[in-house]
Amino acid sequence: KLLSSDVDNVFIGQQAGENRTGGIDNTFVGAYANYNGSATGCCNTGFGKSTGYSLTSGVQNTFVGRQAGYSVTTTNDNTMIGHNSGLNSTGAGNTYVGSYSGDAASQSGGFNTGIGRAALSAVSSGTYHTALGYNAGDEITTGTNLTAIGFAAGSGSSPRHMTTNSNEIVIGDNSIVGAYIRVAWTATSDARDK
């Protein structure tokens, strides 16, 4: 396909980059990959059917897996790897690794990290969340700065149910029967708290 302002773009696959007219250093491989792209955007990479389908002017995004990053349009610095990873995400700076991670119906939140199948799969406008594990943080929708580590951590079957909370950490689900650490925990405080 001849682009009007093409600089080192590569599109391979049925209708890949179909509506793109330009851009710089973009590579998309797969049927309908970056189908709705426009004239701008730089340094984006997508491998898989419909990856980065809606991406227009976003910069430095990486999408791997069927429909990964499907709804990202103008935001930057997203990494979405896995089937439907970040499917409906429009936020910036998100990292989702695992099938269905970060695939909420409407996801404008940014700077979230979800690693594991369906990790952070319900986030809508939440920011700065971190979830590691199968279904970790899968019911978090809003709030900020939540950390969920382990299988179903932060879900309704964990010690703390995270949905709209902020500034909390949960490790594991209710099946955990012991917690061990080699050294003592150190809890710091601020004089204002006293």
Side-chain angles (χ1 to χ4, degrees):
K1 173 175 179 164
L2 180 60
L3 305 179
S4 59
S5 58
D6 176 32
V7 179
D8 299 328
N9 289 303
V10 175
F11 300 97
I12 300 172
Q14 179 182 345
Q15 294 184 298
E18 179 72 15
N19 294 315
R20 183 166 287 281
T21 57
I24 301 170
D25 295 331
N26 295 294
T27 301
F28 285 90
V29 177
Y32 310 105
N34 195 223
Y35 179 87
N36 277 336
S38 65
T40 59
C42 171
C43 315
N44 298 292
T45 304
F47 290 94
K49 182 179 181 181
S50 299
T51 58
Y53 184 92
S54 304
L55 185 68
T56 56
S57 61
V59 175
Q60 296 171 325
N61 294 290
T62 302
F63 310 120
V64 178
R66 185 179 185 273
Q67 295 185 322
Y70 185 92
S71 298
V72 174
T73 55
T74 61
T75 54
N76 307 329
D77 304 313
N78 292 292
T79 300
M80 299 168 180
I81 301 172
H83 175 79
N84 283 3
S85 178
L87 175 67
N88 294 300
S89 178
T90 58
N94 291 303
T95 300
Y96 297 122
V97 179
S99 295
Y100 307 104
S101 58
D103 74 338
S106 174
Q107 208 266 75
S108 62
F111 313 103
N112 297 299
T113 301
I115 300 175
R117 187 187 188 282
L120 293 179
S121 60
V123 169
S124 56
S125 61
T127 56
Y128 303 103
H129 298 311
T130 302
L132 174 62
Y134 188 99
N135 287 355
D138 68 338
E139 297 178 36
I140 297 170
T141 56
T142 60
T144 190
N145 196 32
L146 293 173
T147 301
I149 301 172
F151 170 74
S155 71
S157 62
S158 74
R160 176 75 167 145
H161 189 196
M162 296 174 153
T163 56
T164 61
N165 318 39
S166 292
N167 305 310
E168 296 178 346
I169 297 172
V170 171
I171 299 175
D173 67 353
N174 287 332
S175 299
I176 302 298
V177 296
Y180 306 91
I181 187 168
R182 178 74 178 126
V183 296
W185 288 96
T186 301
T188 61
S189 67
D190 188 311
R192 296 175 294 185
D193 293 337
K194 297 179 179 175

